[in-house]
Amino acid sequence: MMHDLLLNAKLARHRKGALHITRLAGKLRGDPSALWALLAQQFLFATDHTDYTRFGDRPIGNWDIFLNVINVEAQQAVSEERLCHVLYAPRKADGRHDDIRMKAALFIHVLRPLCWMGLLEEVRSGAGFKREEHYFKTEIWREVFKLDTDIHLVPNTRH
């Protein structure tokens, strides 16, 4: 995955049977924030994460919708179940989702990449079938994204 990311972001290329950094990568070595921004842009919005799914499923929606919903819902903490509820409405009479593939697509295409880029923090509790994951926005999220839904956020109380 990292190999493909570096090639697609034009930070590396193959030459004479070896992988070499490009001039762009050399320039960005002295500017970590610009390097992170380029890698985040490529990894989140340009990389096709379908290869990492079992069935080739994609989540329904786009990044604008996902980021704005997560921005509001993850202000305190949000579970995958809650995100699916907000994004796709409940599928069962009890308000729960049973579409595992839909949740998996959301995780693989949206939540995991956001976690890997340090924008969300995943906290797990429980074990086995009772395991739950909750997602929190990190300070990086607040620095990187300026979203339409920011006006609806109530600041967290810190003690």
Side-chain angles (χ1 to χ4, degrees), residues 56-124:
D57 297 329
R58 295 177 184 272
I60 300 166
N62 61 45
W63 276 104
D64 186 45
I65 293 168
F66 298 139
L67 292 176
N68 277 290
V69 168
I70 292 169
N71 191 41
V72 172
E73 295 296 325
Q75 183 67 5
Q76 300 297 328
V78 67
S79 66
E80 245 179 299
E81 189 71 36
R82 172 69 183 157
L83 280 175
C84 285
H85 178 80
V86 172
L87 288 167
Y88 307 121
R91 302 262 180 176
K92 295 170 81 176
D94 65 357
R96 296 182 56 89
H97 287 275
D98 59 355
D99 192 345
I100 300 298
R101 288 174 59 175
M102 180 180 58
K103 283 194 251 182
L106 183 66
F107 174 76
I108 291 167
H109 287 271
V110 179
L111 296 174
R112 183 170 63 186
L114 287 170
C115 288
W116 284 359
M117 290 309 302
L119 296 162
L120 286 181
E121 181 180 351
E122 178 184 28
V123 177
R124 295 179 180 173

Side-chain angles (χ1 to χ4, degrees), residues 36 117-120 137-145:
W36 182 90
M117 290 309 302
L119 296 162
L120 286 181
K137 295 185 297 187
T138 65
E139 290 302 317
I140 298 172
W141 176 288
R142 291 171 182 83
E143 292 296 321
V144 170
F145 295 125

Side-chain angles (χ1 to χ4, degrees), residues 8-73:
N8 292 334
K10 307 223 182 309
L11 294 172
R13 68 171 181 261
H14 290 282
R15 190 177 65 222
K16 296 182 181 179
L19 186 68
H20 296 274
I21 65 169
T22 62
R23 284 190 192 123
L24 174 61
K27 289 177 188 174
L28 292 175
R29 282 168 58 181
D31 190 357
S33 62
L35 176 62
W36 182 90
L38 176 66
L39 288 172
Q41 176 79 22
Q42 183 69 36
F43 187 62
L44 295 175
F45 308 126
T47 299
D48 184 9
H49 298 276
T50 307
D51 291 343
Y52 312 114
T53 65
R54 180 176 287 178
F55 302 106
D57 297 329
R58 295 177 184 272
I60 300 166
N62 61 45
W63 276 104
D64 186 45
I65 293 168
F66 298 139
L67 292 176
N68 277 290
V69 168
I70 292 169
N71 191 41
V72 172
E73 295 296 325

